[in-house]
Amino acid sequence: MIELSNVTKAFGRSFAVRNLDLTVRGGELFAFLGPNGAGKTTTIKMVTGLLTPTEGQIRVAGFDIEADYLQAKSVISYIPDQPFLYPKLTGREFLHFLGSMYDMPADEVEKRTGELAARFECEDYLDDLAETYSHGMKQRVVVSGALLHDPDVILIDEPMVGLDPRSANILKVALREKVEDGCTVFMSTHTLGVAEETADRVGIIQNGTMVTVGTLDEIFDRAQTGGRLEDAFLQLTEGNQTSPFT
């Protein structure tokens, strides 16, 4: 579970997020939508502990992200929009490094590495240096790393960037399986189709303030549009000139 209580983040005199209250339950995939600069990535970075709120409190799986940082981090996986790997490590070495950070036994790491490499189809290059990987290859290894320790909470920013349609489908299925097992998935995306396909609930943020939260049907009712998330998004953000698709 993720709980944000009156969370605000200011950078100097500018506010990226204002008075955000939100609860994302266990066993839920929550899609976080908004125009560019709306506060999505700032919010995710605060939930991961990479940024500190100016005001308010964030709890992850019952742990205060500031006071109980190590306990919170032990149950979180974060997949950023730009996958990072150490260029002079192979994919396998990177996954073993991650496993050691979570105190996983080496044999368990190797077993999980094999399972995830097969699932995300990165076996053929897992023993090559990461500096030789394409963006999509990096993304598949990073996603494998995020699932390695069977996290309770997954935070994912633009999950389908760089993935081909087959890999994107594999990831969507994997996320839904995690949710069915009780995991909380918090997903920021500009790809409204992905949100429609996968999300249990949707939140729309604009100018750092939450506009609405609800199921797709609830969002459609509030927007008084038909059954298309794109129409509802544009209606509820009042035709914001910043494209939500870039």
Side-chain angles (χ1 to χ4, degrees):
M1 177 188 289
I2 301 170
E3 299 172 279
L4 294 89
S5 302
N6 197 35
V7 171
T8 293
K9 181 61 180 178
F11 295 95
R13 296 183 179 181
S14 299
F15 287 86
V17 176
R18 289 178 180 265
N19 308 120
L20 184 59
D21 289 301
L22 177 66
T23 297
V24 183
R25 300 179 291 268
E28 177 177 46
L29 195 156
F30 184 85
F32 199 40
L33 312 178
N36 289 338
K40 301 185 301 298
T41 296
T42 298
T43 300
I44 283 184
K45 287 185 175 180
M46 286 192 289
V47 175
T48 63
L50 293 174
L51 290 176
T52 302
T54 305
E55 296 179 14
Q57 183 184 50
I58 300 173
R59 298 181 70 83
V60 179
F63 300 112
D64 185 292
I65 194 63
E66 293 184 70
D68 307 310
Y69 180 73
L70 290 178
Q71 295 95 321
K73 284 293 291 180
S74 70
V75 299
I76 291 174
S77 275
Y78 172 45
I79 305 173
D81 58 344
Q82 293 295 322
F84 173 80
L85 296 172
Y86 295 102
K88 295 303 183 181
L89 293 183
T90 68
R92 188 180 305 277
E93 289 169 337
F94 175 76
L95 294 176
H96 275 263
F97 169 67
L98 290 182
S100 69
M101 292 180 66
Y102 288 102
D103 293 324
M104 295 175 64
D107 58 345
E108 182 183 352
V109 173
E110 187 59 30
K111 177 175 179 290
R112 289 286 292 152
T113 295
E115 293 169 350
L116 291 163
R119 177 156 202 179
F120 289 100
E121 301 178 346
C122 48
E123 299 157 296
D124 290 346
Y125 57 85
L126 197 63
D127 293 304
D128 297 336
L129 291 178
E131 65 185 4
T132 67
Y133 294 177
S134 69
H135 184 99
M137 292 161 74
K138 290 179 182 177
Q139 184 78 334
R140 280 183 272 176
V141 173
V142 166
V143 169
S144 297
L147 299 178
L148 189 69
H149 70 291
D150 196 23
D152 295 328
V153 176
I154 297 173
L155 298 133
I156 184 166
D157 198 356
E158 293 299 339
M160 307 307 166
V161 171
L163 293 181
D164 57 56
R166 177 176 173 80
S167 297
N169 183 68
I170 291 170
L171 177 55
K172 286 185 284 187
V173 171
L175 291 177
R176 285 307 316 175
E177 287 179 358
K178 288 292 295 178
V179 166
E180 289 165 10
D181 287 339
C183 181
T184 300
V185 176
F186 189 105
M187 176 179 70
S188 171
T189 183
H190 283 139
T191 310
L192 302 185
V194 171
E196 284 188 286
E197 288 178 43
T198 62
D200 298 300
R201 285 193 306 149
V202 169
I204 299 176
I205 188 171
Q206 184 178 26
N207 299 323
T209 301
M210 191 70 82
V211 174
T212 190
V213 177
T215 64
L216 286 173
D217 287 341
E218 290 168 342
I219 299 294
F220 297 151
D221 287 343
R222 290 167 197 164
Q224 297 183 338
T225 60
R228 286 199 342 138
L229 186 54
E230 180 181 351
D231 295 336
F233 179 95
L234 294 173
Q235 175 67 26
L236 291 167
T237 55
E238 299 178 350
N240 188 292
Q241 295 303 305
T242 304
S243 170
F245 309 111
T246 61

